[in-house]
Amino acid sequence: MALPYMLKHRGFPGRLPGTDFQFTLRRANKKGATPITQRERYKDRRPADKRADMGFMAALWDHFGEEPFERGNLDAGRLSWLFGREVKPYSDPFDPADYEALLIIDRKVAEASFPEVFSEDEDFGFDGFDDEGWDDE
């Protein structure tokens, strides 16, 4: 059985540097894309989880800016922490279980939630990121 089509965002970090917080998938799921859902972010979340959200938002902003982007190989779980707030559906109708679904960053909301991402002083360790070692499966 052939895997569903999934765009691989070359140059996008696979994970938060120095952690196991995954940002991308290596290959499509045989059963189809995991649906993106809106997850509630409670104030008592662990600092590491908050840092992963901020790092993912920084990677999204650095890679896509204010342009619409295809979900592709972006991790559904990580997207779900931002979905419906900082990251919104771009297309209507929107299929949350489609690798080709279009998303867009709501800059106003993202800047309010993660001001550090839009600060010139913050460095998230993505400079010089190399996607070497990725295969074209």
PDB file of all heavy atoms in Angstrom, residues 8-44:
ATOM      1  N   LYS A   8       7.374  17.389   2.589  1.00  0.00           N
ATOM      2  CA  LYS A   8       8.402  17.504   3.622  1.00  0.00           C
ATOM      3  C   LYS A   8       8.970  18.920   3.564  1.00  0.00           C
ATOM      4  O   LYS A   8       9.470  19.348   2.531  1.00  0.00           O
ATOM      5  CB  LYS A   8       9.498  16.472   3.419  1.00  0.00           C
ATOM      6  CG  LYS A   8       9.010  15.071   3.698  1.00  0.00           C
ATOM      7  CD  LYS A   8      10.150  14.091   3.722  1.00  0.00           C
ATOM      8  CE  LYS A   8       9.623  12.722   4.083  1.00  0.00           C
ATOM      9  NZ  LYS A   8      10.703  11.752   4.207  1.00  0.00           N
ATOM     10  N   HIS A   9       8.863  19.622   4.654  1.00  0.00           N
ATOM     11  CA  HIS A   9       9.356  20.996   4.739  1.00  0.00           C
ATOM     12  C   HIS A   9      10.866  20.962   4.985  1.00  0.00           C
ATOM     13  O   HIS A   9      11.324  20.868   6.117  1.00  0.00           O
ATOM     14  CB  HIS A   9       8.645  21.760   5.867  1.00  0.00           C
ATOM     15  CG  HIS A   9       7.184  21.926   5.639  1.00  0.00           C
ATOM     16  ND1 HIS A   9       6.677  22.734   4.643  1.00  0.00           N
ATOM     17  CD2 HIS A   9       6.112  21.382   6.257  1.00  0.00           C
ATOM     18  CE1 HIS A   9       5.360  22.703   4.679  1.00  0.00           C
ATOM     19  NE2 HIS A   9       4.988  21.873   5.648  1.00  0.00           N
ATOM     20  N   ARG A  10      11.616  21.003   3.911  1.00  0.00           N
ATOM     21  CA  ARG A  10      13.084  20.963   4.003  1.00  0.00           C
ATOM     22  C   ARG A  10      13.587  22.204   4.732  1.00  0.00           C
ATOM     23  O   ARG A  10      13.116  23.312   4.507  1.00  0.00           O
ATOM     24  CB  ARG A  10      13.703  20.912   2.607  1.00  0.00           C
ATOM     25  CG  ARG A  10      13.278  19.718   1.806  1.00  0.00           C
ATOM     26  CD  ARG A  10      13.885  18.461   2.367  1.00  0.00           C
ATOM     27  NE  ARG A  10      13.437  17.313   1.576  1.00  0.00           N
ATOM     28  CZ  ARG A  10      13.650  16.086   1.936  1.00  0.00           C
ATOM     29  NH1 ARG A  10      14.286  15.819   3.050  1.00  0.00           N
ATOM     30  NH2 ARG A  10      13.225  15.089   1.192  1.00  0.00           N
ATOM     31  N   GLY A  11      14.541  21.981   5.615  1.00  0.00           N
ATOM     32  CA  GLY A  11      15.107  23.089   6.368  1.00  0.00           C
ATOM     33  C   GLY A  11      14.367  23.394   7.654  1.00  0.00           C
ATOM     34  O   GLY A  11      14.827  24.190   8.468  1.00  0.00           O
ATOM     35  N   PHE A  12      13.218  22.764   7.873  1.00  0.00           N
ATOM     36  CA  PHE A  12      12.462  22.980   9.109  1.00  0.00           C
ATOM     37  C   PHE A  12      13.059  22.060  10.170  1.00  0.00           C
ATOM     38  O   PHE A  12      13.305  20.888   9.914  1.00  0.00           O
ATOM     39  CB  PHE A  12      10.974  22.632   8.891  1.00  0.00           C
ATOM     40  CG  PHE A  12      10.072  23.159   9.960  1.00  0.00           C
ATOM     41  CD1 PHE A  12       9.492  24.402   9.820  1.00  0.00           C
ATOM     42  CD2 PHE A  12       9.808  22.424  11.098  1.00  0.00           C
ATOM     43  CE1 PHE A  12       8.649  24.905  10.805  1.00  0.00           C
ATOM     44  CE2 PHE A  12       8.979  22.909  12.089  1.00  0.00           C
ATOM     45  CZ  PHE A  12       8.391  24.155  11.939  1.00  0.00           C
ATOM     46  N   PRO A  13      13.306  22.573  11.380  1.00  0.00           N
ATOM     47  CA  PRO A  13      13.922  21.728  12.413  1.00  0.00           C
ATOM     48  C   PRO A  13      13.040  20.531  12.770  1.00  0.00           C
ATOM     49  O   PRO A  13      11.825  20.669  12.894  1.00  0.00           O
ATOM     50  CB  PRO A  13      14.099  22.666  13.604  1.00  0.00           C
ATOM     51  CG  PRO A  13      13.261  23.851  13.322  1.00  0.00           C
ATOM     52  CD  PRO A  13      13.025  23.922  11.857  1.00  0.00           C
ATOM     53  N   GLY A  14      13.639  19.384  12.929  1.00  0.00           N
ATOM     54  CA  GLY A  14      12.916  18.168  13.268  1.00  0.00           C
ATOM     55  C   GLY A  14      12.456  18.123  14.711  1.00  0.00           C
ATOM     56  O   GLY A  14      11.514  17.425  15.058  1.00  0.00           O
ATOM     57  N   ARG A  15      13.141  18.878  15.550  1.00  0.00           N
ATOM     58  CA  ARG A  15      12.802  18.910  16.987  1.00  0.00           C
ATOM     59  C   ARG A  15      13.385  20.157  17.617  1.00  0.00           C
ATOM     60  O   ARG A  15      14.191  20.843  17.005  1.00  0.00           O
ATOM     61  CB  ARG A  15      13.286  17.655  17.698  1.00  0.00           C
ATOM     62  CG  ARG A  15      14.782  17.437  17.664  1.00  0.00           C
ATOM     63  CD  ARG A  15      15.202  16.099  18.257  1.00  0.00           C
ATOM     64  NE  ARG A  15      14.715  14.978  17.464  1.00  0.00           N
ATOM     65  CZ  ARG A  15      13.786  14.110  17.873  1.00  0.00           C
ATOM     66  NH1 ARG A  15      13.276  14.185  19.059  1.00  0.00           N
ATOM     67  NH2 ARG A  15      13.387  13.141  17.082  1.00  0.00           N
ATOM     68  N   LEU A  16      12.962  20.437  18.836  1.00  0.00           N
ATOM     69  CA  LEU A  16      13.529  21.549  19.590  1.00  0.00           C
ATOM     70  C   LEU A  16      14.959  21.182  19.946  1.00  0.00           C
ATOM     71  O   LEU A  16      15.192  20.102  20.512  1.00  0.00           O
ATOM     72  CB  LEU A  16      12.712  21.807  20.865  1.00  0.00           C
ATOM     73  CG  LEU A  16      13.136  22.983  21.729  1.00  0.00           C
ATOM     74  CD1 LEU A  16      12.941  24.304  20.981  1.00  0.00           C
ATOM     75  CD2 LEU A  16      12.334  23.010  23.023  1.00  0.00           C
ATOM     76  N   PRO A  17      15.940  22.007  19.580  1.00  0.00           N
ATOM     77  CA  PRO A  17      17.339  21.671  19.844  1.00  0.00           C
ATOM     78  C   PRO A  17      17.581  21.286  21.305  1.00  0.00           C
ATOM     79  O   PRO A  17      17.092  21.931  22.226  1.00  0.00           O
ATOM     80  CB  PRO A  17      18.087  22.959  19.493  1.00  0.00           C
ATOM     81  CG  PRO A  17      17.222  23.620  18.471  1.00  0.00           C
ATOM     82  CD  PRO A  17      15.804  23.308  18.914  1.00  0.00           C
ATOM     83  N   GLY A  18      18.293  20.181  21.483  1.00  0.00           N
ATOM     84  CA  GLY A  18      18.665  19.716  22.814  1.00  0.00           C
ATOM     85  C   GLY A  18      17.556  18.991  23.557  1.00  0.00           C
ATOM     86  O   GLY A  18      17.699  18.704  24.740  1.00  0.00           O
ATOM     87  N   THR A  19      16.433  18.688  22.887  1.00  0.00           N
ATOM     88  CA  THR A  19      15.319  18.002  23.545  1.00  0.00           C
ATOM     89  C   THR A  19      14.776  16.892  22.650  1.00  0.00           C
ATOM     90  O   THR A  19      15.217  16.725  21.519  1.00  0.00           O
ATOM     91  CB  THR A  19      14.145  18.972  23.847  1.00  0.00           C
ATOM     92  OG1 THR A  19      13.471  19.285  22.623  1.00  0.00           O
ATOM     93  CG2 THR A  19      14.620  20.233  24.527  1.00  0.00           C
ATOM     94  N   ASP A  20      13.785  16.184  23.159  1.00  0.00           N
ATOM     95  CA  ASP A  20      13.088  15.174  22.367  1.00  0.00           C
ATOM     96  C   ASP A  20      11.721  15.658  21.920  1.00  0.00           C
ATOM     97  O   ASP A  20      10.881  14.859  21.523  1.00  0.00           O
ATOM     98  CB  ASP A  20      12.937  13.880  23.175  1.00  0.00           C
ATOM     99  CG  ASP A  20      14.240  13.113  23.284  1.00  0.00           C
ATOM    100  OD1 ASP A  20      15.079  13.242  22.374  1.00  0.00           O
ATOM    101  OD2 ASP A  20      14.429  12.395  24.284  1.00  0.00           O
ATOM    102  N   PHE A  21      11.464  16.973  21.979  1.00  0.00           N
ATOM    103  CA  PHE A  21      10.197  17.517  21.523  1.00  0.00           C
ATOM    104  C   PHE A  21      10.196  17.541  20.000  1.00  0.00           C
ATOM    105  O   PHE A  21      10.891  18.332  19.375  1.00  0.00           O
ATOM    106  CB  PHE A  21       9.945  18.920  22.083  1.00  0.00           C
ATOM    107  CG  PHE A  21       9.599  18.913  23.543  1.00  0.00           C
ATOM    108  CD1 PHE A  21      10.512  19.356  24.480  1.00  0.00           C
ATOM    109  CD2 PHE A  21       8.361  18.469  23.976  1.00  0.00           C
ATOM    110  CE1 PHE A  21      10.203  19.369  25.819  1.00  0.00           C
ATOM    111  CE2 PHE A  21       8.037  18.468  25.321  1.00  0.00           C
ATOM    112  CZ  PHE A  21       8.961  18.912  26.251  1.00  0.00           C
ATOM    113  N   GLN A  22       9.401  16.658  19.411  1.00  0.00           N
ATOM    114  CA  GLN A  22       9.349  16.461  17.965  1.00  0.00           C
ATOM    115  C   GLN A  22       8.554  17.566  17.281  1.00  0.00           C
ATOM    116  O   GLN A  22       7.494  17.955  17.745  1.00  0.00           O
ATOM    117  CB  GLN A  22       8.695  15.108  17.701  1.00  0.00           C
ATOM    118  CG  GLN A  22       8.541  14.755  16.261  1.00  0.00           C
ATOM    119  CD  GLN A  22       7.984  13.356  16.105  1.00  0.00           C
ATOM    120  OE1 GLN A  22       8.383  12.437  16.795  1.00  0.00           O
ATOM    121  NE2 GLN A  22       7.056  13.215  15.179  1.00  0.00           N
ATOM    122  N   PHE A  23       9.058  18.056  16.145  1.00  0.00           N
ATOM    123  CA  PHE A  23       8.375  19.071  15.339  1.00  0.00           C
ATOM    124  C   PHE A  23       7.882  18.506  14.008  1.00  0.00           C
ATOM    125  O   PHE A  23       6.923  19.000  13.449  1.00  0.00           O
ATOM    126  CB  PHE A  23       9.306  20.245  15.032  1.00  0.00           C
ATOM    127  CG  PHE A  23       9.614  21.141  16.204  1.00  0.00           C
ATOM    128  CD1 PHE A  23      10.536  22.159  16.063  1.00  0.00           C
ATOM    129  CD2 PHE A  23       9.005  20.996  17.440  1.00  0.00           C
ATOM    130  CE1 PHE A  23      10.840  23.019  17.114  1.00  0.00           C
ATOM    131  CE2 PHE A  23       9.305  21.844  18.509  1.00  0.00           C
ATOM    132  CZ  PHE A  23      10.229  22.858  18.337  1.00  0.00           C
ATOM    133  N   THR A  24       8.582  17.506  13.468  1.00  0.00           N
ATOM    134  CA  THR A  24       8.221  16.975  12.147  1.00  0.00           C
ATOM    135  C   THR A  24       8.172  15.447  12.171  1.00  0.00           C
ATOM    136  O   THR A  24       8.713  14.805  13.070  1.00  0.00           O
ATOM    137  CB  THR A  24       9.226  17.411  11.065  1.00  0.00           C
ATOM    138  OG1 THR A  24      10.520  16.910  11.397  1.00  0.00           O
ATOM    139  CG2 THR A  24       9.260  18.919  10.909  1.00  0.00           C
ATOM    140  N   LEU A  25       7.550  14.911  11.123  1.00  0.00           N
ATOM    141  CA  LEU A  25       7.474  13.464  10.916  1.00  0.00           C
ATOM    142  C   LEU A  25       8.441  13.069   9.821  1.00  0.00           C
ATOM    143  O   LEU A  25       8.694  13.852   8.903  1.00  0.00           O
ATOM    144  CB  LEU A  25       6.060  13.075  10.460  1.00  0.00           C
ATOM    145  CG  LEU A  25       4.900  13.595  11.274  1.00  0.00           C
ATOM    146  CD1 LEU A  25       3.591  13.277  10.566  1.00  0.00           C
ATOM    147  CD2 LEU A  25       4.919  12.997  12.657  1.00  0.00           C
ATOM    148  N   ARG A  26       8.929  11.863   9.878  1.00  0.00           N
ATOM    149  CA  ARG A  26       9.818  11.372   8.826  1.00  0.00           C
ATOM    150  C   ARG A  26       9.035  10.854   7.628  1.00  0.00           C
ATOM    151  O   ARG A  26       9.453  10.993   6.493  1.00  0.00           O
ATOM    152  CB  ARG A  26      10.723  10.265   9.350  1.00  0.00           C
ATOM    153  CG  ARG A  26      11.830  10.804  10.230  1.00  0.00           C
ATOM    154  CD  ARG A  26      12.877   9.717  10.417  1.00  0.00           C
ATOM    155  NE  ARG A  26      14.021  10.245  11.142  1.00  0.00           N
ATOM    156  CZ  ARG A  26      15.093  10.757  10.563  1.00  0.00           C
ATOM    157  NH1 ARG A  26      15.167  10.828   9.268  1.00  0.00           N
ATOM    158  NH2 ARG A  26      16.086  11.201  11.273  1.00  0.00           N
ATOM    159  N   ARG A  27       7.901  10.213   7.889  1.00  0.00           N
ATOM    160  CA  ARG A  27       7.111   9.648   6.786  1.00  0.00           C
ATOM    161  C   ARG A  27       5.635   9.713   7.129  1.00  0.00           C
ATOM    162  O   ARG A  27       5.258   9.804   8.284  1.00  0.00           O
ATOM    163  CB  ARG A  27       7.541   8.219   6.473  1.00  0.00           C
ATOM    164  CG  ARG A  27       7.324   7.219   7.562  1.00  0.00           C
ATOM    165  CD  ARG A  27       7.993   5.870   7.289  1.00  0.00           C
ATOM    166  NE  ARG A  27       9.410   5.961   7.072  1.00  0.00           N
ATOM    167  CZ  ARG A  27      10.338   5.972   8.030  1.00  0.00           C
ATOM    168  NH1 ARG A  27       9.970   5.903   9.282  1.00  0.00           N
ATOM    169  NH2 ARG A  27      11.612   6.050   7.738  1.00  0.00           N
ATOM    170  N   ALA A  28       4.823   9.636   6.080  1.00  0.00           N
ATOM    171  CA  ALA A  28       3.369   9.684   6.245  1.00  0.00           C
ATOM    172  C   ALA A  28       2.866   8.428   6.956  1.00  0.00           C
ATOM    173  O   ALA A  28       3.456   7.354   6.838  1.00  0.00           O
ATOM    174  CB  ALA A  28       2.703   9.814   4.884  1.00  0.00           C
ATOM    175  N   ASN A  29       1.764   8.563   7.657  1.00  0.00           N
ATOM    176  CA  ASN A  29       1.112   7.449   8.327  1.00  0.00           C
ATOM    177  C   ASN A  29       0.318   6.659   7.285  1.00  0.00           C
ATOM    178  O   ASN A  29      -0.423   7.237   6.494  1.00  0.00           O
ATOM    179  CB  ASN A  29       0.182   8.002   9.415  1.00  0.00           C
ATOM    180  CG  ASN A  29      -0.468   6.926  10.242  1.00  0.00           C
ATOM    181  OD1 ASN A  29      -0.535   5.763   9.847  1.00  0.00           O
ATOM    182  ND2 ASN A  29      -0.958   7.319  11.395  1.00  0.00           N
ATOM    183  N   LYS A  30       0.453   5.355   7.270  1.00  0.00           N
ATOM    184  CA  LYS A  30      -0.264   4.505   6.307  1.00  0.00           C
ATOM    185  C   LYS A  30      -1.775   4.683   6.410  1.00  0.00           C
ATOM    186  O   LYS A  30      -2.487   4.561   5.425  1.00  0.00           O
ATOM    187  CB  LYS A  30       0.083   3.037   6.534  1.00  0.00           C
ATOM    188  CG  LYS A  30       1.497   2.678   6.227  1.00  0.00           C
ATOM    189  CD  LYS A  30       1.769   1.229   6.563  1.00  0.00           C
ATOM    190  CE  LYS A  30       3.256   0.958   6.464  1.00  0.00           C
ATOM    191  NZ  LYS A  30       3.612  -0.373   6.951  1.00  0.00           N
ATOM    192  N   LYS A  31      -2.263   4.954   7.601  1.00  0.00           N
ATOM    193  CA  LYS A  31      -3.707   5.077   7.832  1.00  0.00           C
ATOM    194  C   LYS A  31      -4.215   6.501   7.585  1.00  0.00           C
ATOM    195  O   LYS A  31      -5.384   6.775   7.768  1.00  0.00           O
ATOM    196  CB  LYS A  31      -4.035   4.667   9.263  1.00  0.00           C
ATOM    197  CG  LYS A  31      -3.696   3.229   9.563  1.00  0.00           C
ATOM    198  CD  LYS A  31      -3.948   2.892  11.011  1.00  0.00           C
ATOM    199  CE  LYS A  31      -3.475   1.481  11.325  1.00  0.00           C
ATOM    200  NZ  LYS A  31      -3.570   1.184  12.737  1.00  0.00           N
ATOM    201  N   GLY A  32      -3.336   7.392   7.197  1.00  0.00           N
ATOM    202  CA  GLY A  32      -3.719   8.787   6.964  1.00  0.00           C
ATOM    203  C   GLY A  32      -3.201   9.694   8.065  1.00  0.00           C
ATOM    204  O   GLY A  32      -2.698   9.234   9.094  1.00  0.00           O
ATOM    205  N   ALA A  33      -3.343  10.978   7.839  1.00  0.00           N
ATOM    206  CA  ALA A  33      -2.819  11.983   8.771  1.00  0.00           C
ATOM    207  C   ALA A  33      -3.592  11.982  10.089  1.00  0.00           C
ATOM    208  O   ALA A  33      -4.816  11.843  10.104  1.00  0.00           O
ATOM    209  CB  ALA A  33      -2.901  13.369   8.135  1.00  0.00           C
ATOM    210  N   THR A  34      -2.871  12.148  11.175  1.00  0.00           N
ATOM    211  CA  THR A  34      -3.503  12.327  12.476  1.00  0.00           C
ATOM    212  C   THR A  34      -4.212  13.670  12.471  1.00  0.00           C
ATOM    213  O   THR A  34      -3.608  14.677  12.092  1.00  0.00           O
ATOM    214  CB  THR A  34      -2.439  12.303  13.599  1.00  0.00           C
ATOM    215  OG1 THR A  34      -1.742  11.061  13.537  1.00  0.00           O
ATOM    216  CG2 THR A  34      -3.054  12.507  14.960  1.00  0.00           C
ATOM    217  N   PRO A  35      -5.471  13.712  12.894  1.00  0.00           N
ATOM    218  CA  PRO A  35      -6.193  14.992  12.882  1.00  0.00           C
ATOM    219  C   PRO A  35      -5.570  16.021  13.833  1.00  0.00           C
ATOM    220  O   PRO A  35      -5.101  15.670  14.919  1.00  0.00           O
ATOM    221  CB  PRO A  35      -7.601  14.629  13.347  1.00  0.00           C
ATOM    222  CG  PRO A  35      -7.709  13.153  13.204  1.00  0.00           C
ATOM    223  CD  PRO A  35      -6.321  12.604  13.315  1.00  0.00           C
ATOM    224  N   ILE A  36      -5.584  17.265  13.406  1.00  0.00           N
ATOM    225  CA  ILE A  36      -5.161  18.372  14.258  1.00  0.00           C
ATOM    226  C   ILE A  36      -6.378  18.765  15.093  1.00  0.00           C
ATOM    227  O   ILE A  36      -7.474  18.931  14.555  1.00  0.00           O
ATOM    228  CB  ILE A  36      -4.704  19.584  13.426  1.00  0.00           C
ATOM    229  CG1 ILE A  36      -3.548  19.210  12.502  1.00  0.00           C
ATOM    230  CG2 ILE A  36      -4.297  20.738  14.345  1.00  0.00           C
ATOM    231  CD1 ILE A  36      -3.229  20.280  11.478  1.00  0.00           C
ATOM    232  N   THR A  37      -6.188  18.906  16.390  1.00  0.00           N
ATOM    233  CA  THR A  37      -7.271  19.335  17.278  1.00  0.00           C
ATOM    234  C   THR A  37      -6.777  20.518  18.100  1.00  0.00           C
ATOM    235  O   THR A  37      -5.567  20.719  18.235  1.00  0.00           O
ATOM    236  CB  THR A  37      -7.694  18.207  18.239  1.00  0.00           C
ATOM    237  OG1 THR A  37      -6.556  17.818  19.019  1.00  0.00           O
ATOM    238  CG2 THR A  37      -8.230  17.002  17.488  1.00  0.00           C
ATOM    239  N   GLN A  38      -7.682  21.272  18.656  1.00  0.00           N
ATOM    240  CA  GLN A  38      -7.271  22.383  19.513  1.00  0.00           C
ATOM    241  C   GLN A  38      -7.113  21.863  20.933  1.00  0.00           C
ATOM    242  O   GLN A  38      -8.070  21.400  21.543  1.00  0.00           O
ATOM    243  CB  GLN A  38      -8.294  23.510  19.485  1.00  0.00           C
ATOM    244  CG  GLN A  38      -7.841  24.715  20.273  1.00  0.00           C
ATOM    245  CD  GLN A  38      -8.771  25.911  20.103  1.00  0.00           C
ATOM    246  OE1 GLN A  38      -9.529  25.984  19.146  1.00  0.00           O
ATOM    247  NE2 GLN A  38      -8.701  26.826  21.031  1.00  0.00           N
ATOM    248  N   ARG A  39      -5.885  21.919  21.455  1.00  0.00           N
ATOM    249  CA  ARG A  39      -5.601  21.472  22.818  1.00  0.00           C
ATOM    250  C   ARG A  39      -5.580  22.678  23.744  1.00  0.00           C
ATOM    251  O   ARG A  39      -5.041  23.727  23.407  1.00  0.00           O
ATOM    252  CB  ARG A  39      -4.252  20.766  22.881  1.00  0.00           C
ATOM    253  CG  ARG A  39      -4.238  19.459  22.146  1.00  0.00           C
ATOM    254  CD  ARG A  39      -2.915  18.771  22.335  1.00  0.00           C
ATOM    255  NE  ARG A  39      -2.934  17.463  21.692  1.00  0.00           N
ATOM    256  CZ  ARG A  39      -1.873  16.693  21.588  1.00  0.00           C
ATOM    257  NH1 ARG A  39      -0.718  17.068  22.071  1.00  0.00           N
ATOM    258  NH2 ARG A  39      -1.975  15.530  20.982  1.00  0.00           N
ATOM    259  N   GLU A  40      -6.130  22.484  24.916  1.00  0.00           N
ATOM    260  CA  GLU A  40      -6.169  23.549  25.913  1.00  0.00           C
ATOM    261  C   GLU A  40      -4.796  23.667  26.575  1.00  0.00           C
ATOM    262  O   GLU A  40      -4.215  22.672  27.007  1.00  0.00           O
ATOM    263  CB  GLU A  40      -7.229  23.233  26.968  1.00  0.00           C
ATOM    264  CG  GLU A  40      -7.507  24.376  27.899  1.00  0.00           C
ATOM    265  CD  GLU A  40      -8.089  25.603  27.208  1.00  0.00           C
ATOM    266  OE1 GLU A  40      -8.876  25.439  26.255  1.00  0.00           O
ATOM    267  OE2 GLU A  40      -7.730  26.720  27.616  1.00  0.00           O
ATOM    268  N   ARG A  41      -4.272  24.879  26.650  1.00  0.00           N
ATOM    269  CA  ARG A  41      -2.991  25.125  27.322  1.00  0.00           C
ATOM    270  C   ARG A  41      -3.291  25.719  28.689  1.00  0.00           C
ATOM    271  O   ARG A  41      -3.675  26.875  28.813  1.00  0.00           O
ATOM    272  CB  ARG A  41      -2.120  26.095  26.526  1.00  0.00           C
ATOM    273  CG  ARG A  41      -1.634  25.541  25.225  1.00  0.00           C
ATOM    274  CD  ARG A  41      -0.541  26.376  24.604  1.00  0.00           C
ATOM    275  NE  ARG A  41      -0.806  27.787  24.521  1.00  0.00           N
ATOM    276  CZ  ARG A  41      -0.899  28.500  23.398  1.00  0.00           C
ATOM    277  NH1 ARG A  41      -0.746  27.904  22.248  1.00  0.00           N
ATOM    278  NH2 ARG A  41      -1.128  29.776  23.430  1.00  0.00           N
ATOM    279  N   TYR A  42      -3.109  24.923  29.723  1.00  0.00           N
ATOM    280  CA  TYR A  42      -3.356  25.386  31.084  1.00  0.00           C
ATOM    281  C   TYR A  42      -2.133  26.099  31.627  1.00  0.00           C
ATOM    282  O   TYR A  42      -1.008  25.828  31.232  1.00  0.00           O
ATOM    283  CB  TYR A  42      -3.739  24.205  31.980  1.00  0.00           C
ATOM    284  CG  TYR A  42      -5.033  23.552  31.550  1.00  0.00           C
ATOM    285  CD1 TYR A  42      -5.029  22.345  30.842  1.00  0.00           C
ATOM    286  CD2 TYR A  42      -6.263  24.140  31.828  1.00  0.00           C
ATOM    287  CE1 TYR A  42      -6.211  21.750  30.436  1.00  0.00           C
ATOM    288  CE2 TYR A  42      -7.447  23.563  31.424  1.00  0.00           C
ATOM    289  CZ  TYR A  42      -7.415  22.367  30.738  1.00  0.00           C
ATOM    290  OH  TYR A  42      -8.593  21.789  30.332  1.00  0.00           O
ATOM    291  N   LYS A  43      -2.363  27.014  32.557  1.00  0.00           N
ATOM    292  CA  LYS A  43      -1.268  27.816  33.125  1.00  0.00           C
ATOM    293  C   LYS A  43      -0.244  26.974  33.878  1.00  0.00           C
ATOM    294  O   LYS A  43       0.895  27.382  34.033  1.00  0.00           O
ATOM    295  CB  LYS A  43      -1.831  28.901  34.043  1.00  0.00           C
ATOM    296  CG  LYS A  43      -2.597  29.969  33.288  1.00  0.00           C
ATOM    297  CD  LYS A  43      -3.001  31.093  34.216  1.00  0.00           C
ATOM    298  CE  LYS A  43      -3.877  32.079  33.508  1.00  0.00           C
ATOM    299  NZ  LYS A  43      -3.151  33.037  32.712  1.00  0.00           N
ATOM    300  N   ASP A  44      -0.634  25.795  34.363  1.00  0.00           N
ATOM    301  CA  ASP A  44       0.285  24.978  35.155  1.00  0.00           C
ATOM    302  C   ASP A  44       1.084  23.975  34.308  1.00  0.00           C
ATOM    303  O   ASP A  44       1.669  23.044  34.848  1.00  0.00           O
ATOM    304  CB  ASP A  44      -0.463  24.249  36.265  1.00  0.00           C
ATOM    305  CG  ASP A  44      -1.477  23.234  35.751  1.00  0.00           C
ATOM    306  OD1 ASP A  44      -1.789  23.251  34.541  1.00  0.00           O
ATOM    307  OD2 ASP A  44      -1.965  22.433  36.568  1.00  0.00           O
TER     308      ASP A  44
END
